[in-house]
Amino acid sequence: MRILAAMSGGVDSAVAAARAVDAGHEVVGVHLALSRAGGTLRTGSRGCCTIEDALDARRAADLLGIPFYVWDFSERFRDDVIDDFIAEYQAGRTPNPCMRCNEKIKFAALLERALELGFDAVCTGHYANLVPTDSGLELHRAADDAKDQSYVLGVLTAEQLAHTYFPLGETPSKALVRAEAEERGLSVAQKPDSHDICFIPDGDTRGWLAEKVGTATGDIVDRAGAVVGSHEGAHAYTVGQRRGLKLGVPAADGKPRFVLEVRPVSNTVVVGPKEALATAEISGRRFSWAGAGPDERSFACEVQIRAHADPVPAQAFVEPDGLRVVPEVPLDGVAPGQTAVLYVGTRVLGQFTIDRTVSAVPAGV
């Protein structure tokens, strides 16, 4: 096949590209410039898409003997990922920019251009598996549970999966990938993995949002509506947050309180006991299937609401206005805007963006 290898400058994408070459494919490397003013150097494991990353990717491509290009996707990334991230927080939701990047950039904008240029597939260093079946490709978890990235790939559609290549999915551990990189002479063999949000390299999401949307003083209230504190911007709070609340009125039982809800229209943050974070039901209108969807309107599955959360057995319902999921045991600290990915065993069935949650604890309790 003609393969376009997305090379971030990290060890995973470099080894993935190398394996594509070893498999006999015609491989071309590409690095995505996602910022018009990218930093020069990384700071440990923080940030990505720096000039240093582009140079690391180029060195890896040179070693592999494949053509290499840098494509400017900064405008598309700003519109589809950064602006979406800001808008979601302003709307009181908790977005996942990595999901949005996979959906809009790596497997939409990049894949579209790759197909236009005559490539058969895009290769990435994600840890996930594609399994061929009579009804098409299925997306499954990686062999290495610790590195499995199938959750952030749950947004991929059947058409996108048909043009995707994940060479690392069957690798038992990341240590083996690093060892292989060493053997191949790749300079990125021991390069730290990227963490946090790539466009907020210092990790200060609250400060970054304050610069983008400003501050606006509002009330922090308990479940009964009584004012217990104040804040300088509801967008800076997420469901489940405990630290940094600075409440002026202690709880009657003396226990810590957590953010239960963010109401952007009234610029109000609702807090309450940890037990009130238990969620009995979630639903969302925007959903997609990763391959063939279910035949039934109601089906058993497992639901996962964070990249590294444990999956929870659940019952899912396909309804006229979206998907509704009822877990066997309450989920903890679910926020609108998060992505719920549905699994059946190791297979990713699909995903939806959570619009509504139902607490397992009545407001009066």
Side-chain angles (χ1 to χ4, degrees), residues 111-167:
L111 181 56
E112 288 166 10
R113 184 176 294 184
L115 296 177
E116 289 172 357
L117 293 174
F119 289 94
D120 298 301
V122 166
C123 166
T124 73
H126 286 99
Y127 288 77
N129 279 311
L130 293 174
V131 177
T133 70
D134 292 339
S135 57
L137 287 173
E138 293 180 351
L139 177 63
H140 284 253
R141 292 188 185 275
D144 182 3
D145 287 338
K147 288 298 296 179
D148 173 55
Q149 292 174 297
S150 60
Y151 173 87
V152 296
L153 298 169
V155 291
L156 302 190
T157 64
E159 183 177 357
Q160 291 168 331
L161 291 175
H163 298 286
T164 300
Y165 186 41
F166 298 133

Side-chain angles (χ1 to χ4, degrees), residues 91-309:
R93 295 188 287 266
T94 302
N96 186 320
C98 293
M99 301 288 288
R100 224 40 77 226
C101 185
N102 283 333
E103 177 186 15
K104 300 292 187 179
I105 306 299
K106 294 175 183 174
F107 299 97
L110 178 62
L111 181 56
E112 288 166 10
R113 184 176 294 184
L115 296 177
E116 289 172 357
L117 293 174
F119 289 94
D120 298 301
V122 166
C123 166
T124 73
H126 286 99
Y127 288 77
N129 279 311
L130 293 174
V131 177
T133 70
D134 292 339
S135 57
L137 287 173
E138 293 180 351
L139 177 63
H140 284 253
R141 292 188 185 275
D144 182 3
D145 287 338
K147 288 298 296 179
D148 173 55
Q149 292 174 297
S150 60
Y151 173 87
V152 296
L153 298 169
V155 291
L156 302 190
T157 64
E159 183 177 357
Q160 291 168 331
L161 291 175
H163 298 286
T164 300
Y165 186 41
F166 298 133
L168 303 188
E170 293 288 357
T171 307
S173 74
K174 177 64 174 274
L176 292 176
V177 172
R178 291 197 182 278
E180 180 178 334
E182 290 275 14
E183 292 174 3
R184 292 179 180 274
L186 292 166
S187 62
V188 294
Q190 299 304 321
K191 186 174 180 178
D193 293 338
S194 294
H195 297 296
D196 300 317
I197 301 170
C198 68
F199 52 87
I200 311 178
D202 64 0
D204 182 11
T205 302
R206 177 182 289 195
W208 186 88
L209 284 168
E211 288 182 5
K212 300 297 181 182
V213 303
T215 59
T217 302
D219 291 333
I220 299 177
V221 302
D222 63 18
R223 300 184 89 193
V227 176
V228 295
S230 65
H231 63 78
E232 295 184 351
H235 59 265
Y237 295 82
T238 58
V239 171
Q241 179 178 333
R242 173 188 172 185
R243 297 183 181 278
L245 299 183
K246 299 178 182 178
L247 303 179
V249 180
D253 58 7
K255 294 182 179 180
R257 285 178 288 200
F258 298 77
V259 174
L260 305 180
E261 185 182 352
V262 177
R263 298 172 179 170
V265 175
S266 61
N267 194 30
T268 302
V269 175
V270 182
V271 297
K274 182 175 177 58
E275 307 84 69
L277 288 170
T279 301
E281 181 180 306
I282 57 176
S283 58
R285 292 185 296 274
R286 189 173 70 179
F287 68 92
S288 63
W289 303 120
D295 296 325
E296 305 295 329
R297 309 304 288 179
S298 172
F299 54 91
C301 62
E302 297 85 44
V303 61
Q304 186 171 326
I305 58 169
R306 297 181 185 86
H308 302 293

Side-chain angles (χ1 to χ4, degrees), residues 59-75:
R59 281 189 284 267
D62 288 345
L63 183 67
L64 298 176
I66 62 174
F68 177 81
Y69 300 91
V70 175
W71 288 355
D72 182 0
F73 275 32
S74 59
E75 186 172 339

